[in-house]
């Protein structure tokens, strides 16, 4: 949902508050025509399932060249050559021949590479990657993460990676924002958050990661369930599940405040620093 806000893709009935600052401009102030200039060109998105993100009845070549023709005004021949270069860049072998392939003729990892190629076609400043490795097995996941890391360096783009997988996040990110029930509850450098979580939800998430040296019969979990998105919550949304809750937690929304230098935390009773 947050990624869709950044791309201006929410339905007209949606109410968006606050600011989305990008290149010195608040994106929420833009008209639809102005947003169209930015969407897909300066900000692009990789959706989580490459099989549904790609059109099954169009070839890979048609789907990549469409971006180049529509967004960069390239001619057909130039767009085809550029599509070949992009497929090379995302390490797809026999790239020119692959342009004639349909999505179902490629493996899951290859399809995700195609989606990434279409995403970087316009050399965006920001790439939003929504669970880009969820549908892939572990070894292909590692290859895609490696690809995103090297593209980030080669092209100088910023990546917002949306993921439930802390392992993936810790491999690729500099900074992490942990969200619960639609709000950021903790934010800071990924190493700090990973090794010294301050928010009880972040701590619970990290404890629930399976460890190779784990010997107990039961894996740690966070008790309870996530509140419904339509439930109106006055205080901290995590309170019913929080082992550190206090009386004020259920009555007042904890503000996101700066703690420990570069870190932000929204909690009245954070985990003490060790
Ligand atoms: S504000 Fe209270 S309920 Fe919410 S996470 Fe912090 S201690 Fe727990």
């Amino acid at each position: 949902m947050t990624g869709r806000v950044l791309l201006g893709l929410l339905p007209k009935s949606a109410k968006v508050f606050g600011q989305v600052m990008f290149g010195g401009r608040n994106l929420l102030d833009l008209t639809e025509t102005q947003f169209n200039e930015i969407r897909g060109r300066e900000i692009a998105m990789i959706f989580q399932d490459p099989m549904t993100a790609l059109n099954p009845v169009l070839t890979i070549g048609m789907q990549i060249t469409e971006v180049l023709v529509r967004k960069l005004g390239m001619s057909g021949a130039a767009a085809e050559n550029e599509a070949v270069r992009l497929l090379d860049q995302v390490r797809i072998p026999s790239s020119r021949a692959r342009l004639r392939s349909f999505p179902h003729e490629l493996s899951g990892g290859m399809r995700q590479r195609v989606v990434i190629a279409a995403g970087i076609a316009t050399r965006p400043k920001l790439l939003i990657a929504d669970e880009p490795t969820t549908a892939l097995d572990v070894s292909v996941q590692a290859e895609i993460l490696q690809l995103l890391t090297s593209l980030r360096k080669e092209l100088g783009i910023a990546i917002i990676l949306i993921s439930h997988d802390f392992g993936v996040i810790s491999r690729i990110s500099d900074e992490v924002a942990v969200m619960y029930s639609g709000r950021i509850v903790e934010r800071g450098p990924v190493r700090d958050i990973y090794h010294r979580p301050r928010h009880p939800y972040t701590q619970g998430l990290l404890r629930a990661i399976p460890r190779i040296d784990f010997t107990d019969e039961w894996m740690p979990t966070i008790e309870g369930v996530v509140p419904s998105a339509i439930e109106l919550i006055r205080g901290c949304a995590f309170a019913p599940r929080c082992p550190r809750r206090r009386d004020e937690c259920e009555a007042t929304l904890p503000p996101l405040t700066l703690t420990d230098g570069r870190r932000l935390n929204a909690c009245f009773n954070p985990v003490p620093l060790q």
Side-chain angles (χ1 to χ4, degrees):
M1 195 57 75
T2 310
R4 285 176 187 272
V5 174
L6 301 185
L7 284 165
L9 290 178
L10 289 186
K12 288 205 182 335
S13 57
K15 290 184 182 158
V16 184
F17 303 93
Q19 291 184 318
V20 181
M21 298 306 295
F22 179 76
R25 285 195 292 179
N26 181 7
L27 298 186
L28 300 185
D29 292 339
L30 301 186
T31 63
E32 186 56 23
T33 313
Q34 289 170 321
F35 224 132
N36 260 336
E37 284 293 303
I38 291 178
R39 187 187 299 127
R41 190 163 180 163
E42 294 189 46
I43 306 178
M45 187 156 181
I46 304 170
F47 291 94
Q48 61 177 261
D49 181 355
M51 196 57 198
T52 51
L54 292 168
N55 188 330
V57 297
L58 296 181
T59 61
I60 301 307
M62 289 165 92
Q63 299 189 56
I64 299 178
T65 53
E66 182 187 19
V67 179
L68 298 163
V69 171
R70 290 184 62 140
K71 290 288 176 186
L72 300 182
M74 284 188 176
S75 69
E80 184 164 320
N81 287 336
E82 178 62 8
V84 171
R85 194 192 66 75
L86 285 162
L87 291 185
D88 285 337
Q89 193 163 28
V90 296
R91 323 316 184 229
I92 290 191
S94 312
S95 47
R96 193 165 288 277
R98 279 292 171 211
L99 289 183
R100 316 278 167 246
S101 301
F102 287 90
H104 72 272
E105 295 176 296
L106 304 183
S107 66
M110 286 289 183
R111 282 196 289 267
Q112 192 57 291
R113 284 169 194 268
V114 171
V115 173
I116 294 171
I120 60 169
T122 57
R123 296 210 163 217
K125 294 180 181 144
L126 173 65
L127 188 64
I128 302 165
D130 181 11
E131 300 265 17
T133 57
T134 308
L136 307 174
D137 66 48
V138 182
S139 55
V140 181
Q141 175 177 303
E143 288 171 20
I144 294 293
L145 289 178
Q146 181 58 45
L147 174 66
L148 286 174
T149 307
S150 49
L151 288 175
R152 186 176 63 152
K153 287 186 192 138
E154 281 168 31
L155 304 176
I157 49 178
I159 297 177
I160 294 179
L161 179 84
I162 300 164
S163 179
H164 286 93
D165 188 331
F166 242 110
V168 168
I169 293 164
S170 68
R171 276 195 60 175
I172 195 170
S173 313
D174 301 315
E175 177 132 342
V176 61
V178 180
M179 297 185 79
Y180 186 78
S181 201
R183 288 180 180 275
I184 293 177
V185 295
E186 182 159 22
R187 183 178 155 181
V190 72
R191 297 282 154 217
D192 278 9
I193 304 269
Y194 198 87
H195 293 296
R196 297 180 304 148
R198 301 292 320 270
H199 195 280
Y201 174 59
T202 317
Q203 186 186 46
L205 273 184
L206 288 166
R207 278 190 180 150
I209 296 174
R211 293 169 53 123
I212 202 157
D213 57 350
F214 191 72
T215 51
D216 288 357
E217 193 176 344
W218 296 103
M219 275 186 31
T221 57
I222 302 174
E223 296 284 316
V225 290
V226 179
S228 155
I230 54 171
E231 213 176 297
L232 205 56
I233 301 164
R234 278 179 60 210
C236 172
F238 190 57
R241 310 174 73 187
C242 181
R244 299 183 60 82
R245 80 177 157 269
R246 302 194 302 207
D247 290 346
E248 65 191 304
C249 299
E250 300 201 23
T252 314
L253 183 69
L256 190 64
T257 45
L258 193 63
T259 56
D260 324 326
R262 287 181 59 198
R263 290 179 63 166
L264 293 158
N265 201 352
C267 181
F268 291 125
N269 187 22
V271 178
L273 278 177
Q274 290 165 6

